[in-house]
Amino acid sequence: MERYITEFNTADLSEEVIDTVVIGAGLAGLSTAVQLKNLGINPLIISRKETGISNSFLAQGGIAAAIGKDDDPQIHYDDTIKAGKGLCIERNVSVLVEEGIERVIDLIIYGVSFDKDGNGYFRLTTEGAHSRRRVLHVKDMTGKEIGKVVYNVLKDKGVKIETGYFLEEILTEDNKLKGIIISNGSEKKLIRCKSLIIATGGYSALFLRNTSAYNISGDTLGTAYRAGCILKDLEFIQFHPTALYIENEPAYLISEAVRGEGAVLVDSNRDRFVDELKPRDEVSRAIFKKYLEGDKVFLDISPLRERGINFRERFPNIISMLDRFGLGNSELIPVSPAAHYTIGGIEATSNGKTNIDGIFSVGESSCTGVHGANRLASNSLLECIVFGYKTAYSVFSYNMYVDIDKNFHLKNKRSSKNVLTKDRKRFILNKIKKVMWEKVGLIRNRETLHSALNDIKDLEQTIQGYSNIRYLVDLLYLSKGVILSALMREESRGTHYRSDFPEEKEEFKKHTKVYKDFEIKLEVN
């Protein structure tokens, strides 16, 4: 395993000196930055894409909080623990559900206009595995509306967002952050900083069929891994049951809120075959098995109309997408599962701390253990704002005792100057996605996982001898971590299903952790 992939000499790079850098401009990064600014830290936000292109901005269903008069944080806690199948870190779940109410109220004060009924009460909905109606929403564009409001707060506070750059290298010495190298594809820049917050989203785009925003792929997790960060629970990938299924078209998400409002799943004979509000892993596998049998699956939205719900008004974003495919007036929408949310990530506390001094992680790029083996629907946006808020305080405390090392220099040479063509890079990227989808997808076993591992190792060999391979190497390292974690877990639990080990086992009630050089351990937190 290589520590640094790109060729650089920090002495030759233009540089900036900034206390705190946030990588990622989704809700986790923006929420952390708002609170950093409130605490007197002026962060720099780095984003590969313009603000608004993130998985959190695409979130349709809503944000869960025990804000209803028949609800309580303890009930929300119980639902989260139950969905997590024995792997939730309970103290972090307590933080999530208890402080979640406060952070949602902050959003309301900032100006997020969650949907209300005629009496002015929040129009709460339910989703899979929730025992109460506790999901607040803004039609079917909740993530976008929350993100827009938080972004406007940041703009008013004068926080700088630099777009078009991505993280290439994290520079460390003696397990401590020294700075980062960012690039826009044509030039590199050194940023010396006290602290780095990684908030770049998950890795669902490692899979061929996914709902990820503009193929946000998770390469930053590979970069963090090379810097020494422990990766945790990578085998747990949540496949959303209902993504639009049209041959050769993207897997556009159809929110679970549609099922929460009464839509049902039916086969080609229009027969129901599953409880639509079971945990997502169970519903996804039930649909997947129908396709394996040669059948097709549809989301039947006729019950919504029978309940007096105007689908176009309640779900305008989904309708707009369906209209493009001529399905806007159809009662039956073709669906199948797609990789959607990644539960694993950089091991982090509820305060965002990792095992590397100065590196923090928040949101889907992190793994705090709140989701266990299976995320409770609509807890992800809550995680962004709750742990983003707490991470800001952790960064403030860390920065107090750290000085920026302006004398630190490092260089890395590549032995080859050969350049991989864009077409060849695209081919290899597609090969990674195909291997992960076909062999590391919803249903796994030892044979397919070992085959996938050999494929990934072959791809590593294929790109040796080229200089412009940082992105691919980080994805290959991440893919290898997912596969090795799935091989280590010889049981089925939550989103991880192995046909050769179809039952849960008590001895695997532990977390998988990927250490340096792909040493995999099962540990109790």
Side-chain angles (χ1 to χ4, degrees), residues 434-441 443-444 448-449 451-452 455:
K434 198 166 184 289
V435 167
M436 296 300 287
W437 176 253
E438 293 178 354
K439 300 179 181 181
V440 199
I443 298 177
R444 306 159 174 173
T448 60
L449 290 171
S451 176
D455 289 341

Side-chain angles (χ1 to χ4, degrees), residues 93-124:
V93 177
S94 294
V95 170
L96 180 76
V97 300
E98 290 167 6
E99 297 187 18
I101 298 173
E102 299 167 17
R103 302 289 78 79
V104 166
I105 291 171
D106 287 344
L107 293 179
I108 294 166
I109 293 169
Y110 284 150
V112 178
S113 299
F114 293 112
D115 291 348
K116 295 180 179 179
D117 61 22
N119 296 316
Y121 299 127
F122 289 117
R123 185 176 284 142
L124 304 174

Side-chain angles (χ1 to χ4, degrees), residues 27-82:
L27 185 58
L30 297 181
S31 297
T32 309
V34 165
Q35 195 55 26
L36 285 169
K37 187 68 175 178
N38 289 341
L39 295 172
I41 295 174
N42 194 26
L44 170 65
I45 300 175
I46 304 288
S47 178
R48 187 175 304 192
K49 304 283 187 180
E50 62 266 28
T51 305
I53 297 178
S54 75
N55 289 330
S56 54
F57 274 68
L58 284 183
Q60 297 173 354
I63 183 168
I67 205 166
K69 56 185 178 182
D70 68 336
D71 206 352
D72 184 85
Q74 182 62 48
I75 303 173
H76 190 183
Y77 171 93
D78 291 341
D79 289 348
T80 301
I81 294 293
K82 184 178 179 182

